[in-house]
Amino acid sequence: MNCSDKLIEIFNSSLFNVELKYHLSKRDYIDLTVRRMKVIFQEKLIHNDMWLGQNKEIEFNELCENIGLIGAFDHSLAISISTHLISGNVIFTQSDPIQMDQYHDEVNNMHCIYSMCCSEIANGTNVKNLETTVTYDHKQKRLLLHSPTPGSCKFWIGNALYNASVGVVLAKLIINNIDHGPHWFRVPLRDKEDGVLFPGISIVPVGPEGGMHGIQMAAIRFNQVSMPLDAMLQRYSKISSDGVYHSEMDPPQRYINLFETFLQERLIPLYMLAKSAATALSITFKYSQNRIISYEPKYKTLIMEPLFCQRLYPELLKSTALMIMGKIIVRQFVNSWGDKSSYKELQTLASSGKYIGTSLGLDILRQCRLMCGALGFHHYNKIITLQIDAEAALTYAGDNSVMSYQIAKHMVRIHRFNDPMIVPSNLAQQVEKKVVASCQNNPLSHVAAQILSYSYGLDLIIQEIQKTGILDDEMLSDLNNVFSPYLSELPSSINSTVEKINHLISLISVPSELITAPIVNTDYTKEFTAKLYTE
């Protein structure tokens, strides 16, 4: 049995009953999420050795696919798993060999749960303004971790409220009053899961959150927490026995290496939203086959209505674009990860995937909710749940606006169509040339950054379609028209047919075990009204 089959088998187990969470208290939902998370790690469906740069990186594509499917099942579960994965990858990439031997199995087998303690309430993930400090005390040969101001408290920290035993903390290292910049530290938080916090550590909930109620989000204050020297992850930097700081890299390169984890992290929300959107569209499509809109003079269901097809078809094209984009980015990451000189290019790719994946994915979910009418607002039908939970994806793993600025600045800087020998060959490139040229003598605007971000992604998608033939010329033209509003271009009309819809539904297909909404069944009306007809 392969991993995908095993994952589907788990989705069918009683512990993964999709409706359980709607009838539990918040704390019970959190506990259920933790139990589910441990099963997934025990079954080796996901683990940190699957990350690029680790010994099972050949399974990286499978990791992305699985976390996407888990996200379509339950965002809270996927984000809780991702928090442990991201924290663990910091351990794997920043530890020296002794630390790696000590913590590898603990992370990989989830012997304890990890949390990522990076974001601060006043500064988010803007590490240039990082306030949390770790000060070296030479007399005691200890490190003191401290949150000096309210703004420095670690905030929106997943897994931390009850269960995380370890936090991976980003803080400025201070030695002899010299600031050596941000470093990573492995910090025990409590004596066991749901146990007693260690001295100097205070944790409170940050809720009520707008969605993803199975995530145990927290705020953490560190008050002169005393730690041994090996709490600092020491692959690139050490403090000698005489209290002198040493690093094998110059500060700019060490700074870049410090955040390589976040490159791969940004593929997680892309895959979660791509699979969630595909799931919502599959539910909407099946509902449209069951929803009867007339009996006379001719029997007719919703999918037989041309106006409905005109709403469904564009969303299916967007979903297909996300599927294609995920494959492009994973392939490039796998091919290039061993070459660190490629990381700037990979950063732009990852930012594009995160920006377009979450923005378009959420657009699709909203439209699916509307296409299913009031029934789309029922949690059992899943779409509204996915939509509410997905809202957070626009800001976690890097705020989408910041992602768009990074992409746009890259495109303005390279200004590739400034060379008269390079001629734009598609709509995305034409828009890029026009907008980049306008930015040469004007400051980059927010609107321009968004347009350039979509043009960057669409160009990749168009080239992949032309290379693989996954869509014919007419559907590629339709895709261009669907993207036109995102590029501030006027779209032409598109021809929405049931045949095209069926083709795209087959392309974006997700396991039937994820399509659990009552409205996909022909007798959905009986299910929702059963109590009214019980004698």
Side-chain angles (χ1 to χ4, degrees):
M1 182 183 295
N2 62 39
C3 280
S4 295
D5 291 339
K6 195 181 292 185
L7 182 60
I8 299 309
E9 183 181 279
I10 286 172
F11 284 160
N12 283 322
S13 68
S14 58
L15 181 65
F16 284 75
N17 182 330
V18 72
E19 294 179 4
L20 277 177
K21 64 183 179 182
Y22 301 123
H23 305 284
L24 296 174
S25 68
K26 180 176 174 63
R27 177 60 199 270
D28 287 342
Y29 182 17
I30 286 171
D31 291 342
L32 173 66
T33 300
V34 170
R35 291 199 299 274
R36 288 171 167 176
M37 184 163 54
K38 289 183 175 179
V39 167
I40 287 169
F41 269 77
Q42 287 164 3
E43 294 293 333
K44 297 295 184 184
L45 296 171
I46 282 178
H47 53 80
N48 277 83
D49 278 343
M50 299 168 81
W51 284 64
L52 294 175
Q54 305 306 322
N55 60 25
K56 290 196 174 180
E57 67 176 11
I58 193 172
E59 299 174 8
F60 181 67
N61 181 66
E62 190 174 290
L63 169 66
C64 293
E65 289 285 335
N66 284 350
I67 200 69
L69 292 174
I70 293 167
F73 172 79
D74 182 6
H75 266 52
S76 289
L77 178 60
I79 293 299
S80 298
I81 289 172
S82 300
T83 297
H84 180 88
L85 287 172
I86 296 161
S87 306
N89 194 246
V90 172
I91 297 291
F92 281 21
T93 58
Q94 305 297 318
S95 295
D96 66 17
I98 294 174
Q99 291 171 320
M100 186 66 168
D101 286 344
Q102 187 173 359
Y103 302 125
H104 176 272
D105 289 350
E106 175 182 88
V107 169
N108 218 43
N109 299 317
M110 198 179 273
H111 292 323
C112 67
I113 295 173
Y114 273 61
S115 65
M116 168 64 78
C117 303
C118 176
S119 178
E120 296 178 346
I121 184 169
N123 306 302
T125 54
N126 180 4
V127 296
K128 291 181 179 178
N129 294 329
L130 187 70
E131 295 181 54
T132 307
T133 61
V134 168
T135 304
Y136 173 64
D137 181 341
H138 185 58
K139 184 177 180 180
Q140 300 291 327
K141 296 290 197 302
R142 303 281 290 179
L143 300 169
L144 294 175
L145 170 61
H146 191 53
S147 307
T149 66
S152 68
C153 289
K154 299 298 183 179
F155 215 80
W156 303 116
I157 307 304
N159 293 343
L161 188 57
Y162 304 115
N163 291 94
S165 302
V166 176
V168 179
V169 178
L170 187 68
K172 294 188 296 185
L173 177 62
I174 311 295
I175 302 176
N176 295 326
N177 296 317
I178 298 174
D179 182 353
H180 291 280
H183 288 69
W184 289 109
F185 301 85
R186 181 190 177 277
V187 181
L189 300 176
R190 43 175 63 91
D191 59 349
K192 60 181 179 180
E193 283 186 33
D194 206 11
V196 177
L197 293 170
F198 289 118
I201 299 175
S202 302
I203 297 180
V204 296
V206 298
E209 305 94 330
M212 290 193 292
H213 295 137
I215 293 180
Q216 42 180 308
M217 286 290 188
I220 306 179
R221 179 194 176 194
F222 300 109
N223 187 9
Q224 301 294 355
V225 177
S226 180
M227 307 183 300
L229 292 185
D230 64 2
M232 185 172 82
L233 301 184
Q234 300 180 35
R235 175 166 296 189
Y236 303 115
S237 307
K238 297 182 186 297
I239 302 171
S240 68
S241 58
D242 55 356
V244 176
Y245 174 81
H246 297 278
S247 178
E248 63 184 56
M249 293 182 173
D250 58 26
Q253 186 58 48
R254 187 184 61 76
Y255 187 84
I256 292 170
N257 281 23
L258 208 61
F259 302 110
E260 69 174 68
T261 293
F262 296 136
L263 271 178
Q264 296 184 59
E265 175 202 6
R266 287 179 181 151
L267 274 62
I268 292 173
L270 163 61
Y271 268 80
M272 284 178 57
L273 266 295
K275 297 296 184 184
S276 295
T279 298
L281 283 163
S282 298
I283 291 169
T284 303
F285 174 68
K286 287 182 176 293
Y287 169 68
S288 72
Q289 294 175 309
N290 295 328
R291 177 71 165 179
I292 300 169
I293 58 175
S294 71
Y295 288 97
E296 297 292 342
K298 181 181 179 182
Y299 175 84
K300 193 175 184 182
T301 58
L302 195 56
I303 192 63
M304 300 163 69
E305 171 57 57
L307 289 175
F308 179 81
C309 291
Q310 289 170 26
R311 297 171 69 189
L312 180 61
Y313 179 54
E315 306 312 313
L316 285 165
L317 285 168
K318 294 176 190 176
S319 182
T320 303
L322 295 187
M323 178 194 71
I324 293 169
M325 192 165 195
K327 294 182 183 301
I328 294 169
I329 295 175
V330 166
R331 183 177 66 229
Q332 190 64 37
F333 264 65
V334 170
N335 292 341
S336 303
W337 191 255
D339 178 11
K340 292 206 171 187
S341 67
S342 70
Y343 280 17
K344 283 190 176 180
E345 179 186 353
L346 294 182
Q347 183 178 24
T348 305
L349 265 176
S351 297
S352 177
K354 200 276 175 180
Y355 177 84
I356 295 177
T358 55
S359 299
L360 276 191
L362 195 53
D363 284 352
I364 294 167
L365 292 173
R366 288 169 178 153
Q367 292 306 314
C368 286
R369 208 295 285 170
L370 293 172
M371 283 185 276
C372 292
L375 287 167
F377 205 67
H378 195 290
H379 274 307
Y380 282 8
N381 289 326
K382 205 165 184 178
I383 298 170
I384 190 63
T385 312
L386 289 170
Q387 179 186 328
I388 292 169
D389 287 350
E391 284 287 346
L394 299 179
T395 46
Y396 68 67
D399 180 270
N400 270 18
S401 295
V402 176
M403 298 295 99
S404 72
Y405 303 154
Q406 291 176 351
I407 300 161
K409 287 176 181 176
H410 165 76
M411 297 172 77
V412 170
R413 184 172 61 251
I414 63 172
H415 197 8
R416 60 175 173 159
F417 294 113
N418 190 43
D419 184 343
M421 300 298 293
I422 303 177
V423 180
S425 61
N426 60 48
L427 171 65
Q429 292 182 7
Q430 291 165 7
V431 170
E432 176 189 338
K433 179 179 180 178
K434 178 175 64 176
V435 176
V436 167
S438 72
C439 292
Q440 296 305 308
N441 299 315
N442 300 291
L444 177 68
S445 69
H446 176 72
V447 171
Q450 292 181 302
I451 293 171
L452 287 174
S453 296
Y454 279 111
S455 66
Y456 177 89
L458 180 59
D459 184 30
L460 294 174
I461 293 163
I462 290 172
Q463 292 186 58
E464 184 74 7
I465 291 171
Q466 291 173 333
K467 184 171 66 176
T468 62
I470 192 170
L471 298 181
D472 62 25
D473 289 344
E474 183 177 347
M475 294 181 83
L476 176 55
S477 176
D478 291 341
L479 180 67
N480 280 326
N481 281 308
V482 166
F483 268 81
S484 291
Y486 297 97
L487 304 174
S488 289
E489 298 287 307
L490 290 175
S492 301
S493 60
I494 60 177
N495 181 26
S496 308
T497 66
V498 174
E499 290 74 24
K500 289 180 179 179
I501 288 171
N502 284 321
H503 176 65
L504 296 180
I505 282 288
S506 67
L507 284 181
I508 66 166
S509 64
V510 294
S512 59
E513 287 78 4
L514 289 176
I515 309 171
T516 55
I519 55 173
V520 305
N521 304 317
T522 56
D523 61 349
Y524 73 90
T525 57
K526 292 181 181 179
E527 182 170 346
F528 280 112
T529 61
K531 291 181 180 179
L532 296 173
Y533 291 88
T534 302
E535 295 183 4

